[in-house]
Amino acid sequence: MKMNRFLAGAAVMCIGMAPVVSMAVTNVQTVQASVGQPFSVGGTGGVVVITSTIARIYDVNGNFNADFTNRGLPQNSTWTTTKGYQYNGHSYYLVATNQYVRDDDVYFYFK
């Protein structure tokens, strides 16, 4: 009898968790969408050197990322990158998870 109560409780917990898992997957799919043309730097990757005073951080859709309004990358700092995307005549280089810098703030070279 105790085992049946345990199993029933576990089943209710699993059913209650199912919508949360579904919402998390939906959110990840939204983040992965890009309006630009993705590209791979290839080989061993490349390096971006920040040339502006502070480089703004953009999202995967080429928008200034409001989540990072108090953040920027300092001048002369270097960042390794392996991919990016092109959008509206600009190249965006990946410097962290879902965080990109735009070509007018950096100098890019292959490793």
Side-chain angles (χ1 to χ4, degrees):
M1 189 66 157
K2 288 183 181 181
M3 181 61 96
N4 288 340
R5 286 184 189 164
F6 173 76
L7 292 175
V12 168
M13 287 178 61
C14 289
I15 291 170
M17 294 174 75
V20 173
V21 172
S22 175
M23 288 183 345
V25 170
T26 301
N27 189 23
V28 170
Q29 290 171 344
T30 301
V31 170
Q32 297 302 319
S34 174
V35 296
Q37 178 65 40
F39 64 83
S40 174
V41 174
T44 58
V47 175
V48 290
V49 179
I50 307 302
T51 57
S52 61
T53 304
I54 294 180
R56 296 175 81 177
I57 299 173
Y58 296 84
D59 67 14
V60 72
N61 295 310
N63 300 313
F64 173 65
N65 195 330
D67 293 335
F68 305 114
T69 55
N70 61 344
R71 297 185 198 172
L73 303 180
Q75 189 173 29
N76 298 322
S77 61
T78 58
W79 300 83
T80 300
T81 187
T82 57
K83 57 183 152 181
Y85 65 95
Q86 292 182 329
Y87 178 65
N88 275 349
H90 290 282
S91 293
Y92 295 81
Y93 299 97
L94 182 68
V95 292
T97 304
N98 298 321
Q99 297 178 36
Y100 297 81
V101 291
R102 198 161 73 177
D103 59 4
D104 54 1
D105 289 326
V106 303
Y107 171 75
F108 171 82
Y109 64 90
F110 288 100
K111 282 186 178 181

